[in-house]
Amino acid sequence: MKTIPVITLTISLLTAAGLPLSAAAQSAATDTQTAAQAANNPADMTDGEVKKIDKDAGKITLKHGDIKNLDMPGMTMVFTVKDKCLLDKVQPGDKVKFRAISDNGKLMVTDVQPVK
């Protein structure tokens, strides 16, 4: 994923030059950094149970515990998956560990692994 380093470098150069960032740029930087941190931190895997899968829509319904990196309490909800092939790894009823991020305000599952 080359987008994150380019955005981070651009923001670093602008701030080092003393140029102010717009609110939109600051928000994009925060979302990008949050996504990068979540992708690299195995502690952000959350326990869950697959309730439903919609492969055509690229969605998964999970009953999950607290999602710490999103400051979200446990509940059952529908997530979009980053890559539909993630849905081939699991089926309804499976206990899983998954990673979810906020991508510009849209909640997305970026990794899901069945628990053996």
Side-chain angles (χ1 to χ4, degrees), residues 67-86:
I67 304 177
K68 294 177 184 171
N69 64 302
L70 297 176
D71 196 26
M72 178 183 292
M75 63 182 79
T76 300
M77 63 182 292
V78 178
F79 292 90
T80 300
V81 293
K82 182 174 183 173
D83 186 344
K84 289 182 182 181
C85 73
L86 291 173

Side-chain angles (χ1 to χ4, degrees), residues 14-30:
L14 289 173
T15 53
L19 299 173
L21 295 176
S22 70
Q26 290 173 350
S27 176
T30 301

Side-chain angles (χ1 to χ4, degrees), residues 31 35 101-108:
D31 283 348
I101 62 167
S102 175
D103 185 16
N104 292 320
K106 182 177 180 182
L107 299 179
M108 182 177 301

Side-chain angles (χ1 to χ4, degrees), residues 6 10 18 25 32 50 58 63 72 81 83 88 109:
V6 172
T10 303
T32 301
V50 179
K63 179 179 179 182
M72 178 183 292
V81 293
D83 186 344
D88 294 333
V109 169

Side-chain angles (χ1 to χ4, degrees), residues 37-112:
Q37 290 166 351
N40 296 323
N41 189 351
D44 287 336
M45 295 292 275
T46 301
D47 292 322
E49 180 183 347
V50 179
K51 293 297 192 179
K52 184 178 176 184
I53 293 174
D54 183 344
K55 289 184 182 181
D56 293 332
K59 296 189 183 233
I60 187 169
T61 303
L62 294 168
K63 179 179 179 182
H64 63 80
D66 294 348
I67 304 177
K68 294 177 184 171
N69 64 302
L70 297 176
D71 196 26
M72 178 183 292
M75 63 182 79
T76 300
M77 63 182 292
V78 178
F79 292 90
T80 300
V81 293
K82 182 174 183 173
D83 186 344
K84 289 182 182 181
C85 73
L86 291 173
L87 300 176
D88 294 333
K89 298 179 180 183
V90 295
Q91 58 188 354
D94 283 354
K95 302 288 186 194
V96 297
K97 287 206 171 272
F98 70 98
R99 180 175 291 114
I101 62 167
S102 175
D103 185 16
N104 292 320
K106 182 177 180 182
L107 299 179
M108 182 177 301
V109 169
T110 60
D111 189 14
V112 63

